[in-house]
Structures are given as C-alpha cells and as structure tokens.
C-alpha cells in the first residue's frame, strides 16, 4: 500500500507504518482498521504526520491515532514525544484550545428514572449552563486576582469556590492542576479574554450530554465504576476558551518571528517551535500550564452546573442523584513525562493534539484508585451515535507513550456539511432516534451532524485491537446541549 | 469577495485581489462577514464598504489605529487579521473600513473603523488565524491567498 511516494507497511492488524525517508527523523506510525485507510489517505492528514517527523528531538515515531484528520501544522489525532535536551516544544502541537478535554460522570439513575423527562433535562442544561458563541460565565466576572488563582489552582479553585468535591481531583488527569503554571508568562490580552469565560461551554464541537450505558464489554471494570446497562451518565466536552486561544496565538507569533534563529527548518510555519531549553520554550510551557489549569477549572464548574441542573429538574437531592466524576482527560496538551526509549527511561515532552493520555496500571501519576487498573480513557462520539469509556494499557506505554484517540474525528468539512445537510432533516433523524438536542445556533447542529464524523465504533475498535486502550462500556446519547 | 474552501476540521477561505493592499482589505472584510454576517453592510465598491443608513445599532463609529511589523507579507497578514479577530471577538467590534497610512511588505499602519455590537451578534467563534501553509501568490497581476482559521 502507498501514500503519495511513501510506502505503508502493515505492522499488525491495526498498526501501520510509513518508514523514515527524506528528512524525516523518525517513521510515522498510525492506528486504523484496514477499511479506514482509504479515507485517512484521502484527507492528507498523513502528510502532516510526516511533517511532524521532521521536528528536532522527536523520539521513536510521529504517531497518528485512528481519529486522525487534517488540521493545521500537526494533524488532529497526532502525538509526538520530544527529547528534553535537544527537542522542541510547539504551540501548534498542542492546539489553540489548550487542554480541551472530556469528563465522564456516573449517576445512581437508570433510564426508566428519566425517560419521560429528557426534554426538561436538556432545557435545564440550556438554561443553567452558558453555551454558544460569546457566552459568558454562569459565575460572576472574575477579578484579576481570582483569575490568577484559577491559573495556579486549576480544578482545585473551582472546588474551593463551591463547585464540586475534593474527590473529583483524584479523578482528573494531573489532579486538575499543573504545578508549573506561572501567570507572569501570560499576556494581559489573554487574561482579559479569560475574565468572564470560566463556566462556559463555548461553541463548535463542545457539548454537554446526558446518556445511558447501552453495552458493557468489561463487567469487572464496569462494576468497579458502578456502571450497568441503562445507567445514566453525563459527558462534558470543553476547554480553555478564549484564554487558551490567546496564549497559543501569543507564543506562536513570537516563535514564528524567531524561527530563523534556529539551526533547523520546518515544513509549515504553523509548526513553529522553540528548543525546549530556550527561554521562549520554557515561557510557553509555563503559560500553557495556566491555560491547562483554566480548562480544568472550567470543566469542573460546568460539571457542577450540570449536576445542580439535574437535581433541580428532577427534584432530587444530590445524594439521590449520586453524581460522581469517573475521569477527566485532556486531549490538547504538552507534558513532561518519563517513558522508556530503547530500554532506558527518558524524560520527554509529550505533545498530544487531539489525542488522549492512556496510561496503563502502575504509573505514579495516577491516583491510588487507578494504580491497579490503569487510567480511564473517554472517547466521545458525535451527538447521534455512541461514546466509549475505555482503560489505558501497559501496551500503550511502550507503543504510543501512553496515548490513544480522542473522539470520532471529522471526515467532512463544515462547508460540505452545510451544502449536504439541513437543520430539519438532521433534527428529524435525531428525533427518530429519541435524541433531544438543543443548540445555541441551528448552524452548529448542521455543521456537527453525525454524518460529518467517522464511525466512532471503528475508531474505538482500531484502538481496542491494536491494544492501546481497551473497551469498558459503550454509551448512547439521550439529550445533548451543543455550543 | 471570498470563497470558502473545504477543510476537514477548520475553515479555509480563498481571497483574491489585483493588489496586495486590496487583498488585505478583502481578507479583513471577509473576517467581519464570517464573524458577524453581512447584514450591516449596505453597498460596496472594491475599496470601500458603507454602513447601512438604517443600521440598527446607533452608536457612533469608532476607530483604532494598528501598527504591525512582521518578517514578510504573509506573517503581516496573519498578524493583522489576528488583531482584528481579537477586537471583534472580545470587544464585539464590527470592522467595516480601513484607511492605510503606511503599507509595505513588512509594516502596516492602518486606521480601522468599527461599530460596536454585542456578544449576541457574533455568528461564529473563530479561535485564531493560523500560519498554516499561508502564501500570497501572484498570477497574471492577480494576488490570491488561502487563509486557514481555527474553529
């Protein structure tokens, strides 16, 4: 099999490789079912993975997950691990929506408890959780001092201010806080943008969903998380909003200007980067940590707003609802992690852009309750299909630096979506499936309709059979609030 | 004015003009149109757009002056649009005309005229203007550029 002038080698059932050639420093390795390859090739995202393989200090492989699709600079679904001594850090390898991520929550409820109230539940979400373009926080505009605290404390700030419990931190990647955050490295412009957006969902593909477990693959782990068939679950997808976009923009601009000073060239200016050990490389990381913390605070508040909204709509107490965060994963982030490279433990700077951490058991970064089983991985689908809860594996640690996919992955552009689909037919199709959707804008519903995404079950199957994460349960949506 | 291209994850547009200055102008107006729509734009000539007399928002037009320098005209364009995006998204400024005081391939000074709108008037959330494969091309006295916006 070939992609342009490159050979594609099959490594195993769902693992493929483009060997190193030209100025590539490492091969490209990607994960997909054979039937997905033609679509992946047609999208040209593999060229972006090849471009990433040119970057200095990249280790082992330029990785692409099965939800890979064409982005800018890095592909979406791309993972790159850089040597901390001679590698680079790239804002484009994280993306504008720094620490965009997903959280998955369980409740004590079952389908029968809510089947007649789904419309009310989604209406409640719509009224209580700010969403859409230009939405403001459900919490009062922050002072500068408060915003600095958000940047430093992350999810802990939200909990200290009444949005959740300490136990939520154990179930959040990095405990919802990157300790390196330094607000002095964040521009006034970024700070301005962030003042009134904590507790907002945003627009585009961000969402708040209520659904049920509709298939259990691993009874033991499903029991561990108290999930059974028809258990009601909630999924939140959002990020660092304008605050994170501005930080990425600020540092990209500086790195683009400085690019000529370095002794390497990049194939796309959106891959602008700086050696990790330089001042600008360090400053970007410290500012990025502020945005990561902002995003964790944001999702913590959003989750708590959803929880309160559910209690109010269903007229039940928090105890009866039994709302519990199972896990919060980030899918746009750079982190320093220790991994085994050629038999030696090495500190690396992991870039995950549209990719989720998928740590197996025993990693010291995980809270005690996940030490034995590994880290939960959340793979949301689109509003008309399924989402999956999976678990990280030992195999992923060696194969992908503990990484896997982050969602279904787009296959059609927004332009195509608007040309091919209309609001009425999408709404009626979702109605037929019993899925209630509220969107701040009709356009969002058209642009984000299920047909523009890959089949999430194929993506998850590729992950499962390649072994970089394993399925626990599948869920299906009942009601969705789209941004 | 501009053409929306297929881009799997984000939004790419193609803009053409017979001068580089015209290209910058049209890109700026395209950004306004994407963010707020063109319902407030009344009639336009290649270089000038007018605000509808019945403009529903009665505030007086405002003006900001931007001075931007960059390594080349492509980066200059990205940074110019990035500035406009910030003011549009964060301050709900509807830019409708631009008066160039200086225009070179590495520096612009420009007065940007705007009306104040509200958050609710935003039609689309554009996160950023990217540098992705940006190149201003010249072909038979016609300049064109493809700009990718992160959504």
């Amino acid at each position: 099999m070939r992609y342009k002038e490159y050979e594609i080698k099959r490594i195993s059932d769902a693992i493929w490789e483009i060997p190193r050639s030209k100025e590539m420093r490492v091969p490209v390795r990607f994960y997909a079912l054979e039937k997905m390859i033609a679509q992946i090739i047609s999208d040209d995202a593999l060229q972006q993975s090849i471009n990433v393989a040119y970057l200095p200090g990249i280790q082992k492989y330029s990785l692409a997950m099965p939800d890979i699709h064409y982005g800018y600079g890095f592909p979406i679904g791309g993972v790159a691990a850089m040597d901390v001594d001679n590698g680079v850090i790239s804002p484009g390898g994280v993306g504008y929506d720094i620490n965009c991520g997903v959280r998955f929550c369980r409740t004590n409820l079952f389908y029968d408890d809510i089947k007649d109230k789904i419309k009310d539940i989604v209406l409640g979400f719509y009224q209580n959780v700010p969403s859409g373009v230009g939405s403001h926080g459900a919490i009062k505009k922050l002072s500068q001092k408060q915003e600095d605290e958000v940047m430093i404390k992350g999810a802990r700030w939200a909990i200290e201010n009444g949005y959740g419990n300490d136990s939520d931190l154990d179930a959040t990647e990095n405990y919802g806080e990157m300790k390196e955050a330094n607000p002095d490295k964040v521009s006034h412009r970024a700070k301005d943008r962030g003042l009134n957006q904590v507790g907002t969902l945003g627009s585009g593909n961000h969402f708040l969903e209520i659904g049920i477990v509709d298939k259990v693959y691993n009874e033991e782990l499903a029991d561990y998380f108290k999930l059974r068939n028809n258990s009601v679950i909630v999924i939140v997808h959002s990020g660092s909003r304008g605050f994170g976009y501005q930080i990425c923009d600020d540092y990209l601009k500086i790195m683009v200007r400085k690019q000529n000073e370095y002794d390497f060239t990049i194939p796309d200016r959106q891959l602008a980067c700086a050696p990790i050990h330089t001042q600008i490389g360090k400053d970007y990381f410290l500012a990025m940590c502020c945005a990561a913390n902002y995003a964790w605070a944001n999702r913590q508040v959003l989750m708590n707003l959803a929880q309160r909204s559910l209690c109010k709509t269903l007229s039940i107490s928090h105890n009866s609802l039994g709302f519990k965060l199972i896990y919060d994963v980030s899918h746009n982030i750079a982190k320093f992690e220790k991994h085994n490279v050629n038999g030696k433990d090495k500190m690396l700077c992991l870039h995950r852009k549209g990719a989720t951490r998928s740590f197996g058991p025993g990693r010291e970064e995980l809270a005690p309750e996940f030490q034995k089983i590994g880290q939960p991985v959340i793979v949301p689908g689109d509003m008309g299909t399924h989402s999956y809860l999976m678990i990280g594996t030992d195999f992923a640690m060696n194969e992908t630096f503990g990484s896997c996919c982050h969602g279904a992955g787009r296959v059609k552009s927004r332009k195509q979506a608007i040309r091919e689909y209309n609001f009425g037919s999408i709404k009626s199709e979702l109605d037929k499936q019993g899925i209630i959707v509220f969107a701040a804008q009709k356009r969002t519903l058209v642009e984000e309709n299920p047909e523009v995404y890959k089949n999430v079950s194929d993506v998850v199957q590729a992950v499962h059979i390649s072994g970089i994460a394993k399925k626990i349960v599948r869920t299906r949506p009942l009601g969705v609030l789209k941004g | 004015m501009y053409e929306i291209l297929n881009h799997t994850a984000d939004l790419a547009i193609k803009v053409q003009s017979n001068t580089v200055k015209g290209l910058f102008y049209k890109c700026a107006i395209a950004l306004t149109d994407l963010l707020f729509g063109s319902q407030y734009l009344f009639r336009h000539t290649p270089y000038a757009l007018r605000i509808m007399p019945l403009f529903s928002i009665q505030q007086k037009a405002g003006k900001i002056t931007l001075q931007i320098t960059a390594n080349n005209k492509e980066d200059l364009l990205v940074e110019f649009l990035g500035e406009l995006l910030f003011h549009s998204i964060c301050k709900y400024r509807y830019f409708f005309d631009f008066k160039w005081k200086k225009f070179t391939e590495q520096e612009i000074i420009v007065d940007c005229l705007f009306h104040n709108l509200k958050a609710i008037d935003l039609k689309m959330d554009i996160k950023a203007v990217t540098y992705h494969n940006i190149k201003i091309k010249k072909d038979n006295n016609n300049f064109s550029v493809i700009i990718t916006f992160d959504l």
Side-chain angles (χ1 to χ4, degrees), chain B residues 132-150:
Chain B
H132 178 55
N133 288 340
I134 190 163
K135 184 75 195 157
I136 294 177
K137 290 181 183 163
K138 189 181 179 193
D139 184 22
N140 293 331
N141 291 326
N142 189 47
F143 294 89
S144 67
V145 67
I146 293 173
I147 303 163
T148 305
F149 298 105
D150 184 277

Side-chain angles (χ1 to χ4, degrees), chain A residues 35-99:
Chain A
K35 66 178 178 179
M36 299 165 72
I37 305 260
Q39 187 281 320
I40 288 173
I41 287 174
S42 71
D43 185 48
D44 219 19
L46 284 176
Q47 182 60 55
Q48 294 182 324
S49 290
I50 291 167
N51 292 347
V52 171
Y54 283 54
L55 294 177
I58 187 165
Q59 301 290 298
K60 285 170 81 171
Y61 306 107
S62 168
L63 295 163
M65 299 300 129
D67 52 340
I68 182 177
H69 57 286
Y70 192 75
Y72 45 82
F74 273 60
I76 296 157
V79 176
M82 308 302 188
D83 183 290
V84 290
D85 296 322
N86 59 25
V88 292
I89 187 164
S90 172
V94 172
Y96 284 93
D97 195 357
I98 296 167
N99 190 10

